[in-house]
Every structure is written in structure tokens, then in C-alpha cells.
Amino acid sequence: MAFPGGWIDTLTASIAFALLLLATPYLQLAVTGASVVAGGISDHMAILLMSLAWFMVWLLVMAVLVYAGQNLPMGKRTHHTRVFCPASPDRVRRALCPLPGTSVAGRVCGPEEADGFFPVRYEADAPSGESFAIARQAHSYRYRILHEDRLTRQSEAVVWLEDHKSRSEIFERLEPVEGGTLYTLVEMHDHFNLLTAIGFWINDFGADHALAYLDAAEGHPSLAIYNQRQRSPLSILSRLFKTTGTP
């Protein structure tokens, strides 16, 4: 509830707690031995030592997950998203499908260029890499519609990563059903590493992102994770220990 975007902290804290549970018999032996040699350990001291052990294991698990996750590319992957919206296909299309010269919920599409591509820019809240404070960060990619009719669209998107250019193939379908529209998105790309793939799955980001735009287009308040403050316990803790000025 307090940290809707803090999935990394939640996942690693759970793994750390599970590891401590597995090690409980050995910790009990250590505490028993210490009580015999050193004259006993109070309940408060035992709780403090266990909390410290959990915190250290948590940081270790997080460091391993982040390092391994960022350095393990997932290759070419296909993601499927299905969302129901109580609106007509035309309204859903305007909200979810980028169109040249339009702006929806902070997603700004520029004019179409000679090669058929048009720039798409959007902003999202995320911790700053320097101060760890929540800041508005801009992202952009280039988008081109290859084929389109009223209920389907085939398109491609190109995004520049740190060391290469990634191309995505996108297929969208708008299916009229009773009471609204069933939106289906199939996207194939190669710019996920293990960490982003886990986050995409845990947060159901495809559906969450679509619902955020649908709510914004309809003028409704949204509970989508995409719209919440992307802070986490570790980012707040990092701000407390961040040094300022010249060391």
C-alpha cells in the first residue's frame, strides 16, 4: 500500500526471510551455545540480532538480484496483454494506440515524418539515480503504423538503449463485446533483461499501463501502479545516508 512500485524490495525481503527460516535450526543452536558460554542472551537482544541478520541478508540478496538481473538479457520475447474496457473500440483506440499529433495522459506524439515514424514521448515518476528523490523522468521512442483498420493495428517501435537500438513488433486488436471492448496487445522485442522481465510479470505492467491510459482518457481517478509514486523503502533509506557536497 505504501510502496506500490517497490516490488524489488518486497521480493528480496521475502527471499531473505525465507532463507532465515531455513537457517532457524542452526541459529537456535548458536543462541543456545552462546547462552551457555556467555551467560545467556535476553529476548530483546535475540530480536535485535535476528533483525540485523535479516537486514544484512536482505541487502545481500538485493545486490545479487539487481546485479544478475541487469546483466542477464532475456533475448527476443513475446508479451501478451488483454484488458476489458466499458467503452467503444474507437474510444479505446484513441486512448491506447499512439497516433501522430495527439496527447493522452502525458503521452505526447509528434508529427509523422517522411519515413512514416513519429516520436512518442512520455513521463513517469521514478527515484533519481543521484539523489534517490522521486523525480519526473522523460522517456521517448519512435513509432510507425504498418497496417491499420478500425479493429486491428500492426506497428513497430524503435527505442535507443545504452549500447544498441531495439525494435519491437506490435499487434493490437479491439474486439467489441457485450458492455465494452476487449483490447489485446501482442508485443515482441529484445530489450528486457531478467530484472525488468520479473518486474513486468509481478506488476502485470502491460495491463496496468493500459488501464492507466484508459482511466486518464475517461477522466477517472486511477489505481494503476503506473500512476503511483514509484518510491521504495530502499530509496528512502538511501536518501538518509546520501552524502552531499564534495567528499
Side-chain angles (χ1 to χ4, degrees), residues 6 24 33 51 111-112 118 133 136 141 146 152 158 175 181 186 197-198 215 228 232 234 239 242:
T24 296
S51 299
E112 186 174 354
F118 56 91
R136 200 71 173 168
Y141 58 93
L146 301 177
T152 62
V158 175
E175 181 181 352
T181 302
V186 180
I198 294 175
D215 289 337
Q228 311 306 315
S232 68
L234 187 64
R239 292 187 64 189
K242 180 184 179 296

Side-chain angles (χ1 to χ4, degrees), residues 16-145:
F17 186 68
L19 292 175
L20 284 180
L21 287 179
L22 291 174
T24 296
Y26 305 100
L27 295 174
Q28 288 177 332
L29 291 175
V31 171
T32 303
S35 63
V36 174
V37 175
I41 293 179
S42 67
D43 292 341
H44 293 89
M45 180 59 68
I47 293 174
L48 178 62
L49 291 176
M50 287 299 296
S51 299
L52 180 61
W54 169 79
F55 182 71
M56 298 303 294
V57 174
W58 175 41
L59 293 181
L60 177 62
V61 172
M62 181 176 295
V64 172
L65 176 66
V66 172
Y67 178 80
Q70 290 180 338
N71 290 278
L72 288 176
M74 299 300 294
K76 211 167 188 64
R77 296 176 60 85
T78 301
H79 294 280
H80 300 262
T81 298
R82 289 168 64 89
V83 175
F84 171 78
C85 180
S88 67
D90 291 335
R91 296 177 69 177
V92 174
R93 175 176 173 270
R94 286 193 295 268
L96 297 183
C97 303
L99 294 169
T102 62
S103 176
V104 177
R107 183 190 66 202
V108 180
C109 302
E112 186 174 354
E113 301 171 359
D115 57 1
F117 282 95
F118 56 91
V120 180
R121 182 179 181 274
Y122 67 95
E123 296 182 346
D125 291 332
S128 167
E130 298 179 356
S131 66
F132 300 103
I134 302 299
R136 200 71 173 168
Q137 300 183 19
H139 305 271
S140 61
Y141 58 93
R142 302 183 73 225
Y143 188 94
R144 179 167 64 176
I145 301 171

Side-chain angles (χ1 to χ4, degrees), residues 188-206:
M188 185 165 58
H189 58 73
D190 63 355
H191 57 258
F192 270 15
N193 54 38
L194 178 62
L195 194 65
T196 52
I198 294 175
F200 194 96
W201 172 68
I202 287 180
N203 291 326
D204 193 11
F205 188 76

